[in-house]
């Protein structure tokens, strides 16, 4: 056990799975870097250096630099998965995923279903998401709700370095296509991560705080903000349960409903836009299945229904914050008191 | 001044650097005995009662309830009743002026290390001076060397104490062979060979108790004393709910009631304790290793391992310690043992009395030899 960053945890999962299983190959833009150019062969390791060093250990056969052609290499990954490899494709920004929707939505997601369960598609697409980097509206989106919508895909959103290693290991070992979301703002966050390989099961939520008053369900990086809000609120006597679903597909409905029923008050924190989002999905689930337990309206803390702004000042208030989460919690805790006073 | 004794924040396990004094159980002016429960302390890892290391009159509560302070910080002061208040105050002032919290990544603190043995890699934590008969602490099913956090430092004040991880557990090899007690015993003696311990006081808990008994019966020359804490293999039954729940439950909320079965007072179990177990079980090979060990030693609610009759082959002094509220292996398993075996039954303790009643267990271990 030692302290590792989110980036190191992801790199360790890739390295250990490539050692464990010769069928695991990785592909993407500049994941080795330097191919065909003078200078160092293992130059880049991807845009954020996550895959640096893998080419040196595993060679060009298993670390494949690709042209800037997302539709081609994601399609190649789907085909490779269907024919016996376990590819991990790195698609720099999830914002670029649009050019390969057919390969993902119509091909990879459908193979198992349309070939009568006889085909498996053990592919992973790793991709960066999230705002906060002054990268404007084409490099900052949180598009996991789109992929969650498609049956046949699995979607993982690791909220810290420990989660990242375990969930990526599971993603690589899984026989279905997995879209693996890495938040740009977390690559340097460190924590204790076991050196040995381990996998975290999909569809099993992590309850990171236990409280009596409000249940906060948060996704990806937002889990850390929710934990901070819960710790702040606890000092004022309001205790929150915080649920990190870990994967949006499959979704751990049982834990979400159980914890929602225990407190009777629900806040959903989602960095994506509010319409057709995880926030609206969870709110719908709780309203449909746990309505009788609710003591207050469900509150959503999300980005607005607007593109991510380039203006730093606007971007800062665009992203859900600890203060906004605390305000939402406080509002629904006081809801019953206000109603009683009127 | 010499009769003034400080009570300081204990260090429970390697990761602890601070603790919260949750409750004082004694008031200023009360006479307290060594081993008496004087406060509740909570860390992120564990909540537990703190038993006074010293006796005397509690003169001052330096830290109040709800405060979080570093390890080693002054919590209270105990003295003979005739020491004047002025001297107590002077002692407190001097302590506070000179107190420097231990660095969190203290390079001098013992850290676990992996030892290569004939039975594969064994992780151990070694502490204490290199004289007297060493103690080897052997944990039970599903646990690891961190389970001795309330015992090892205490025992290591006077002698060398080795806490080891059995195969399939903690940081040791996940290869467990047939998982039988004899196989695990071979791994422990392989460790003793690797670190050149000819003979030791073996302290075994639960399944580790059966392992220790097996070594003492097969190789009496390697065991100078034998302390068995709620040992497996002494009765017919075991809690199947615990064994199957421990292996099978992968969600914290489902695992927590299983872990709570270990203790008489469930409030001792913290969220972090449950999380540590989950993190351990996720490591490659662990669930398979636990399954193999469970199937080799237990059959549903029955114990396959039977080791009680082998006590006749043990030449070393033997004591058995059992919590009266043990829900995993019933305390009745200690009934009818030979007169040569000292039996200590602890009220208010469950299956892990070395954590629940650490002072009593530590005293018993030191007293046996």
């Amino acid at each position: 056990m030692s302290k590792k960053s989110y980036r190191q945890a992801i790199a360790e999962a890739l390295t250990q799975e490539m050692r464990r299983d010769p069928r695991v190959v990785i592909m993407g833009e500049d994941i080795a870097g330097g191919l065909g150019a003078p200078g160092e062969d293992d130059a880049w390791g991807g845009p954020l250096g996550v895959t640096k060093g893998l080419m040196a250990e595993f060679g060009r056969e298993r670390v494949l630099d690709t042209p800037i052609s997302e539709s081609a290499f994601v399609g190649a990954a789907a085909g490779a998965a269907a024919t016996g490899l376990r590819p991990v494709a790195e698609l720099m920004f999830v914002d670029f995923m649009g050019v390969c929707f057919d390969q993902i939505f119509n091909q990879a997601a459908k193979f198992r279903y349309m070939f009568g369960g006889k085909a498996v598609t053990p592919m992973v697409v790793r991709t960066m998401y999230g705002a906060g980097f002054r990268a404007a509206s084409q490099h900052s989106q949180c598009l996991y709700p789109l992929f969650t919508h498609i049956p046949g895909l699995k979607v993982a959103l690791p909220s810290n370095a420990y989660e990242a290693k375990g969930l990526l290991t599971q993603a690589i070992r899984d026989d279905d296509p997995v879209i693996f979301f890495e938040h740009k703002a977390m690559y340097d966050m460190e924590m204790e991560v076991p050196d040995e390989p381990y996998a975290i099961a999909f569809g099993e939520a992590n309850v990171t705080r236990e409280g009596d008053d409000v249940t906060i369900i948060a996704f990806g990086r937002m889990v850390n903000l929710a934990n901070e809000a819960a710790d702040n609120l606890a000092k004022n006597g309001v205790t929150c349960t915080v649920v990190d679903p870990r994967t949006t597909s499959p979704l751990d409905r049982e834990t979400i409903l159980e914890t929602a029923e225990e407190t009777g008050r629900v806040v959903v924190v989602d960095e994506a836009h509010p319409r057709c989002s995880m926030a609206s999905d969870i709110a719908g689930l709780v309203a449909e299945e746990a309505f009788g337990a609710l003591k207050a309206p469900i509150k959503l803390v999300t980005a607005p229904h607007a593109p991510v702004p380039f203006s730093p000042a606007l971007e800062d208030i665009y992203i859900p914050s600890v203060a906004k989460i605390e305000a939402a919690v406080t509002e629904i805790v006081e809801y019953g008191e206000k109603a009683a006073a009127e | 001044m010499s009769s003034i004794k400080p009570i300081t924040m204990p260090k429970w396990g390697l990761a602890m650097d601070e603790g919260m004094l949750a409750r004082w159980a004694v008031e200023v002016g009360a006479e307290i005995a060594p081993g008496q429960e004087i406060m509740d302390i909570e860390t992120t890892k564990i909540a537990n009662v703190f038993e006074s290391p010293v006796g005397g009159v509690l003169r001052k509560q330096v830290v109040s309830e709800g405060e979080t302070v570093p390890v080693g910080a002054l919590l209270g002061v105990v003295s003979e009743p005739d020491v004047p208040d002025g001297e107590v105050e002077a002692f407190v002032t001097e302590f506070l002026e000179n107190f420097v919290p231990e660095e969190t990544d203290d390079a001098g603190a013992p850290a676990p290390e992996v030892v290569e043995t004939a039975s594969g890699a064994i992780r151990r934590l070694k502490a204490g001076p290199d004289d007297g008969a060493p103690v080897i602490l052997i944990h039970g099913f599903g646990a690891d060397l961190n389970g001795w956090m309330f015992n090892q430092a205490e025992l290591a004040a006077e002698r060398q104490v080795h806490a080891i991880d059995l195969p399939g557990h903690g940081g040791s090899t996940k290869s467990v062979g047939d998982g039988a007690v004899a196989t695990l015993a071979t791994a422990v003696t392989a460790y003793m060979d690797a670190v050149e311990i000819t003979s030791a006081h073996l302290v075994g808990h639960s399944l580790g108790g059966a392992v220790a008994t097996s070594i003492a019966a097969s190789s009496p020359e390697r065991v100078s004393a034998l302390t068995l804490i709620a040992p497996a293999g002494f009765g017919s039954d075991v809690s199947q709910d615990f064994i199957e729940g421990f292996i099978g439950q992968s969600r914290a909320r489902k695992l927590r009631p299983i872990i709570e079965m270990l203790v008489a007072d469930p409030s001792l179990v913290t969220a972090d304790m449950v999380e540590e177990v989950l993190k351990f079980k996720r490591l490659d090979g662990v669930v398979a290793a636990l399954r193999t060990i469970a199937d080799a030693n237990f059959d549903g609610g029955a114990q396959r391992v039977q080791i009680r009759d082998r006590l006749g082959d043990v030449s070393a002094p033997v004591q058995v310690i059992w919590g009266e509220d043990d829900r995993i292996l019933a305390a009745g398993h200690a009934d009818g043992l030979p007169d040569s075996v000292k039996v200590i039954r602890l009220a208010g303790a469950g299956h892990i009395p070395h954590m629940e009643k650490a002072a009593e267990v530590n005293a018993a271990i030191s007293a046996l030899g």
Side-chain angles (χ1 to χ4, degrees):
Chain A
M1 194 95 107
S2 58
K3 273 218 157 89
K4 296 179 186 105
S5 68
Y6 194 77
R7 175 188 287 109
Q8 288 167 326
I10 292 165
E12 192 164 273
L14 287 170
T15 307
Q16 289 178 341
E17 290 311 293
M18 289 182 82
R19 284 180 191 151
R20 179 176 175 270
D21 186 344
R23 296 172 299 174
V24 178
V25 300
I26 62 171
M27 54 174 79
E29 292 158 13
D30 269 339
I31 57 166
L35 182 61
E40 193 190 347
D41 221 17
D42 183 28
W44 281 94
L48 282 153
V50 172
T51 55
K52 177 93 177 146
L54 292 180
M55 204 284 290
E57 179 171 351
F58 301 103
R60 288 272 179 215
E61 293 256 296
R62 296 178 65 195
V63 181
L64 305 166
D65 269 352
T66 66
I68 304 177
S69 56
E70 287 82 3
S71 49
F73 75 77
V74 169
T83 51
L85 293 179
R86 306 188 83 86
V88 181
E90 177 177 303
L91 201 152
M92 219 176 272
F93 296 96
V94 71
D95 312 71
F96 305 164
M97 204 80 87
V99 299
C100 38
F101 273 4
D102 185 65
Q103 286 77 359
I104 295 171
F105 292 172
N106 284 330
Q107 308 304 325
K110 302 292 192 283
F111 288 161
R112 183 194 282 276
Y113 180 77
M114 295 186 74
F115 297 136
K118 291 178 184 163
V120 293
T121 315
M123 73 183 281
V124 181
V125 182
R126 291 180 41 240
T127 191
M128 286 192 286
Y129 76 104
F133 267 65
R134 314 306 187 216
S137 47
Q138 297 161 324
H139 299 79
S140 302
Q141 296 173 84
C142 296
L143 299 181
Y144 42 84
L146 293 181
F147 300 91
T148 306
H149 182 74
I150 307 295
L153 297 178
K154 292 178 178 172
V155 180
L157 288 164
S159 59
N160 62 40
Y162 175 83
E163 297 285 319
K165 181 175 171 183
L167 289 171
L168 182 54
T169 300
Q170 177 58 37
I172 294 170
R173 296 178 186 179
D174 203 286
D175 276 342
D176 289 314
V178 179
I179 315 294
F180 190 85
F181 281 83
E182 301 168 13
H183 199 292
K184 299 176 199 77
M186 292 203 290
Y187 280 111
D188 291 319
M189 282 175 51
E190 288 190 341
M191 67 183 296
E192 293 286 335
V193 177
D195 300 328
E196 295 165 88
Y198 61 94
I200 298 176
F202 283 178
E204 291 189 3
N206 188 20
V207 179
T208 61
R209 297 287 186 279
E210 298 256 15
D212 298 323
D213 300 313
V214 177
T215 298
I216 308 175
I217 296 139
F219 294 90
R221 186 171 88 90
M222 293 297 119
V223 175
N224 302 296
L225 276 62
N227 286 337
E228 196 181 329
D231 293 344
N232 291 343
L233 289 159
K235 288 173 194 154
N236 299 323
V238 175
T239 60
C240 298
T241 293
V242 178
V243 179
D244 171 5
R246 289 185 169 131
T247 52
T248 58
S249 189
L251 182 69
D252 184 352
R253 293 161 53 102
E254 185 188 337
T255 299
I256 292 169
L257 291 171
E258 196 177 284
T259 54
E261 282 168 359
E262 281 168 6
T263 63
R265 300 184 188 90
V266 174
V267 171
V268 194
V269 187
D270 184 1
E271 195 186 321
H273 310 300
R275 304 280 316 280
C276 299
S277 65
M278 286 318 300
S280 54
D281 187 60
I282 302 298
L285 172 69
V286 173
E288 187 176 7
E289 303 283 345
F291 186 77
L294 289 176
K295 300 170 188 161
I298 300 163
K299 289 296 291 182
L300 309 187
V301 180
T302 70
H305 188 68
V308 180
F310 184 47
S311 152
L314 289 177
E315 188 182 24
D316 287 346
I317 55 170
Y318 176 94
I319 305 167
S321 64
V322 173
K324 285 179 193 166
I325 299 168
E326 288 180 37
V329 168
T330 306
E331 187 185 330
I332 57 171
V333 167
E334 288 171 357
Y335 174 83
E337 295 162 17
K338 272 187 189 151
E342 277 163 11
Chain B
M1 296 271 289
S2 60
S3 71
I4 302 179
K5 297 161 205 156
I7 293 176
T8 59
M9 180 60 74
K11 187 171 178 71
W12 289 339
L14 293 170
M16 177 169 170
D17 48 35
E18 61 179 26
M20 194 262 281
L21 196 166
R23 184 181 68 92
W24 275 103
V26 285
E27 291 180 357
V28 171
E31 177 90 32
I32 55 181
Q36 185 179 338
E37 294 174 1
I38 54 168
M39 64 183 77
D40 294 345
I41 293 174
E42 289 180 26
T43 75
T44 55
K45 299 259 178 231
I46 194 159
N48 209 344
V49 294
F50 180 55
E51 297 159 332
S52 179
V54 297
V57 171
L58 181 66
R59 300 298 298 271
K60 191 175 172 72
Q61 296 176 345
V62 179
V63 169
S64 45
E65 292 180 356
E67 272 189 81
T68 298
V69 295
V71 167
L74 188 64
L75 303 174
V77 181
V78 169
S79 79
E80 298 302 321
D82 55 356
V83 175
D85 286 348
E87 283 188 27
V88 171
E89 286 304 326
F91 178 89
V92 171
T93 307
E94 191 189 337
F95 190 104
L96 294 179
E97 275 173 3
N98 296 323
F99 176 66
V100 182
E102 186 188 343
E103 291 292 321
T104 45
D105 51 357
D106 186 1
E113 53 203 332
V114 173
V115 174
E116 290 301 329
T117 77
S119 290
I122 296 290
R123 187 179 69 154
R124 66 99 182 266
L125 178 62
K126 188 175 91 171
D130 192 9
D131 49 40
V135 172
I136 300 178
L137 305 171
I138 308 168
H139 63 76
F141 177 79
D144 68 11
L145 56 81
N146 294 314
W148 304 103
M149 64 172 80
F150 301 125
N151 317 102
Q152 189 172 13
E154 196 81 8
L155 296 170
E158 287 166 8
R159 61 207 300 190
Q160 198 163 88
V161 183
H162 299 241
I164 62 170
D165 289 337
L166 289 171
H169 293 80
S172 289
T173 174
K174 300 301 177 289
S175 163
V176 297
D178 63 5
V181 161
T183 306
L184 300 176
T186 303
V188 176
T189 49
Y191 171 77
M192 293 171 73
D193 293 341
V195 300
E196 296 177 351
I197 294 177
T198 50
S199 165
H201 179 165
L202 299 187
V203 178
H205 170 237
S206 196
L207 188 64
V211 171
T213 308
S214 168
I215 298 167
S218 306
S219 315
E221 73 286 358
R222 313 276 328 236
V223 180
S224 60
L226 185 62
T227 296
L228 305 171
I229 304 169
F234 278 60
S236 59
D237 54 309
V238 63
S239 168
Q240 185 178 11
D241 289 347
F242 176 79
I243 300 291
E244 292 308 318
F246 190 91
I247 298 175
Q249 294 298 352
S250 60
R251 284 171 160 87
R253 293 166 72 84
K254 299 275 167 60
L255 184 62
R256 189 183 187 112
I258 306 292
I259 304 293
E260 286 176 351
M261 291 172 73
L262 288 168
V263 289
D265 173 6
S267 71
L268 297 183
V269 175
T270 64
D272 274 37
M273 255 171 100
V274 178
E275 198 55 39
E276 292 296 319
V277 173
L278 283 176
K279 285 183 172 176
F280 161 63
K281 292 208 307 162
R282 286 185 191 120
L283 297 176
D284 277 6
V286 166
V287 168
L290 291 176
R291 185 80 263 164
T292 301
I293 292 172
D295 289 347
N297 296 294
F298 311 113
D299 177 12
Q303 298 197 60
R304 289 185 206 278
V305 54
Q306 287 303 332
I307 204 136
R308 176 190 185 99
D309 295 341
R310 299 195 64 196
L311 282 177
D313 299 329
V314 176
S315 53
V318 182
Q319 65 182 347
V320 173
I321 302 172
W322 227 299
E324 287 181 350
D325 301 332
D326 194 327
R327 286 184 279 167
I328 312 298
L329 295 167
H333 293 187
D335 294 346
L337 288 169
D339 290 344
S340 58
V341 175
K342 185 179 174 194
V343 177
I344 301 169
R345 297 172 197 270
L346 296 174
H351 187 59
I352 48 174
H354 54 296
M355 299 185 93
E356 301 172 82
K357 299 285 170 193
E360 286 91 330
V361 172
N362 293 342
I365 292 169
S366 295
L368 188 68

